[in-house]
Structure formats: C-alpha cells, structure tokens
C-alpha cells in the first residue's frame, strides 16, 4: 500500500494575546492507504489542530504535509471531516441533512443521491429519511453524520473526537459501528481521541503526542489486534498491555 498522508517536521506557532504559542513541534508520521490511525495526547496538546492542518484549514509554520502525493495548501475534496458533535440541523430531515454536503458542493446529482440511498440502506437508516434528528438515538445520529461525510466520496476521513458527546455504553456500540462502516467503505481514517481504550479498539496504529508543544512521543503498531473488531479487542489478552504502556507515556507529560 502506498502512503496517502505524510507529515514531515510539521510545526505550528500562533499568536495569542499573551504572545506566541508553540502548538506543534517537529511532528512527523505517515499513513498508508486504507489504514486507521489514532492520535492521542494530553489535553490541549494540539491534536485537533493537527487535523486542521491535514484538512488544509490551517497552514503549518514549518514543515510540510502531503495528501496523495500533493502538498496540502487548501481544503481538498479527497478529505472528509467528521467533527466532535454530529451537527445535524434539527429543522432538516435526515435525508436533507445527509445530502447537505452535496448541496454545498453543487453535486446533488441523481448519481450521488443514489449512492447516499445505498449507504442509508446498507447501514440501517433508510426508513428514517423523513424523520428529524431529535427522533433518532445518539448512535443513529452519529451514523447519519458519517454518511453525510461519506456522501461526497472522500478517500480520507478525519474524525475529531466524534464520540465524545455520547455516554459510555453508546460509545462502545457506535465506535464498533463506525469502525465497521469505515472498513467496509475502504476509507483511510485519522482519529483524534483522548480515550486510550477507544484508540486501541479502533486503530491499526496509534500516534502518541507529548504535552505542548506536541512532538511524536511514540507510535504503536497494534499488530494482531488489527484482525479483531473493536468489541473483540477489548477482551484480547494484550489490550491491557497496550493500555498500560500508552498510559505511562501520557502520564509522564501530566
């Protein structure tokens, strides 16, 4: 598999009322096409900022980011961003919510609509097209948010703590659903999370960042866990080994 995302010595310094703040320093890692990678680190270390840089919403102060062989200078249609909250509009039906990105891009064609209908059917949401978001469970809303992101057919998904607003039990179920959908759709995914268990249960590899200014402290390849579903991973004997190791790496920075 070829490299689809590559960061080389990425740094970001921004201005605040108190002066310059160094958010990221010398961050380097890569992702293969079809890989699921999580970024984890202390609160406020710049995890979401890193996603913004990959998405082309911000520009690094130093270093470079490549997506599919091109240096990132602006947002790309190859990338879909799924934010922390589902951001479904209550006054719109589920159908008009999941096709919103197509409307914005002026791509709401019959072919695209057929693709969205297929996704909704495949993932158990086709009977809720005329419903409003408040009529759906938290897990169903997250699936709708993901389908809205998938509707524009991006190759890469950037997930910014998409389960943080859900209760623990719902998070377990939804993370399993989302992981399954991403795998079935053969997408490359970069997830930001503060939850170590979530990162281990969903990822092929985990990038651990240090305290701000964030640098790459460690990269963990989860090896044989890659073959298991998120739920199955949580019962695997070496799950706790990975958890303890990453916890210690984060604890040093507290």
């Amino acid at each position: 598999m070829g490299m689809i995302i590559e960061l080389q010595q990425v740094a970001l310094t921004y201005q605040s009322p108190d002066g310059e703040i160094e958010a990221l320093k010398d961050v380097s890692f890569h992702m293969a096409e079809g890989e699921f990678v999580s970024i984890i680190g202390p609160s406020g270390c710049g995890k979401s900022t890193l996603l913004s840089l990959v998405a082309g919403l911000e520009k690094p102060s130093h270093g470079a980011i490549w997506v599919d062989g091109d240096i990132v200078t602006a947002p790309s249609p190859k990338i879909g961003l799924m934010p922390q909250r589902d951001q479904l509009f209550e006054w719109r039906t589920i159908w008009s919510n999941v096709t919103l990105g197509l409307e914005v891009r002026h791509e709401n064609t019959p072919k695209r609509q057929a693709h969205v209908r297929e996704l909704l059917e495949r993932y158990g949401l086709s009977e809720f097209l005329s419903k409003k978001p408040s009529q759906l469970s938290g897990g169903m809303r997250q699936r709708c948010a993901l389908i809205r992101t998938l509707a524009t057919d991006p190759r890469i998904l950037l997930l910014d703590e998409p389960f943080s607003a859900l209760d623990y039990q719902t998070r377990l179920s939804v993370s399993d659903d989302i992981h399954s959908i991403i795998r079935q759709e053969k997408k490359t995914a970069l997830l930001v999370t503060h939850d170590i268990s979530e990162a281990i249960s969903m990822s092929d590899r985990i990038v651990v960042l240090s305290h701000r200014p964030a640098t790459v402290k460690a990269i963990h390849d989860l090896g044989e866990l890659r073959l298991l579903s998120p739920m199955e991973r949580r019962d695997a004997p070496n799950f706790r080994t990975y958890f303890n190791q990453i916890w210690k790496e984060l604890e040093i920075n507290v």
Side-chain angles (χ1 to χ4, degrees):
M1 294 185 292
M3 293 302 124
I4 193 167
I5 297 177
E6 186 172 358
L7 290 79
Q8 285 191 1
Q9 297 179 311
V10 171
L12 179 67
T13 301
Y14 60 89
Q15 295 290 333
S16 78
D18 299 321
E20 285 191 345
I21 293 179
E22 193 176 17
L24 303 169
K25 181 180 180 181
D26 196 28
V27 173
S28 299
F29 66 90
H30 63 265
M31 290 178 61
E33 187 163 10
E35 194 173 25
F36 196 124
V37 172
S38 288
I39 298 173
I40 195 163
S43 179
C45 75
K47 299 185 293 295
S48 294
T49 299
L50 199 52
L51 278 197
S52 295
L53 291 171
V54 175
L57 301 174
E58 295 186 59
K59 294 183 179 180
S61 307
H62 179 75
I65 301 171
W66 284 266
V67 168
D68 199 23
D70 297 321
I71 290 184
V72 175
T73 57
S76 166
K78 295 177 182 179
I79 292 176
L81 179 63
M82 189 172 170
Q84 290 185 8
R85 297 187 178 274
D86 58 55
Q87 295 185 350
L88 299 176
F89 294 116
E90 191 54 46
W91 61 90
R92 297 176 71 108
T93 64
I94 295 307
W95 173 254
S96 60
N97 265 291
V98 297
T99 55
L100 179 59
L102 297 178
E103 288 181 31
V104 171
R105 293 190 183 193
H106 305 290
E107 296 176 358
N108 205 7
T109 62
K111 183 179 179 180
R112 291 284 198 181
Q113 289 184 10
H115 175 59
V116 175
R117 288 185 185 279
E118 182 183 335
L119 290 170
L120 289 164
E121 178 71 34
R122 192 180 304 163
Y123 302 117
L125 292 165
S126 58
E127 63 187 278
F128 301 98
L129 298 187
S130 61
K131 302 291 186 182
K132 295 294 179 63
S134 62
Q135 296 176 279
L136 272 60
S137 68
M140 294 171 73
R141 291 175 64 115
Q142 286 303 109
R143 270 187 279 159
C144 287
L146 179 58
I147 289 171
R148 179 187 58 202
T149 305
L150 291 172
T152 57
D153 200 24
R155 291 179 63 188
I156 300 162
L157 299 176
L158 304 181
L159 312 172
D160 189 2
E161 300 200 51
F163 317 121
S164 59
L166 304 175
D167 63 79
Y168 178 73
Q169 200 60 42
T170 304
R171 284 179 74 145
L172 290 178
S173 173
V174 172
S175 63
D176 204 73
D177 284 346
I178 298 301
H179 180 270
S180 175
I181 292 170
I182 290 171
R183 291 299 197 203
Q184 288 183 55
E185 298 302 315
K186 296 180 171 58
K187 301 299 183 182
T188 302
L190 183 59
L191 168 72
V192 158
T193 179
H194 64 275
D195 189 317
I196 300 174
S197 295
E198 188 171 272
I200 298 170
S201 66
M202 297 187 74
S203 310
D204 298 317
R205 289 186 300 137
I206 298 173
V207 177
V208 181
L209 298 182
S210 70
H211 192 72
R212 194 176 69 203
T215 59
V216 175
K217 189 169 187 61
I219 298 179
H220 296 273
D221 189 318
L222 300 184
E224 66 277 11
L225 287 183
R226 293 182 179 213
L227 303 175
L228 305 177
S229 72
M231 290 291 196
E232 291 170 334
R233 292 188 192 196
R234 290 173 186 263
D235 294 326
N238 50 352
F239 184 93
R240 181 55 56 181
T241 302
Y242 284 116
F243 185 98
N244 290 339
Q245 189 171 358
I246 294 170
W247 173 262
K248 288 177 181 177
E249 289 164 354
L250 294 175
E251 203 173 32
I252 292 170
N253 296 300
V254 175

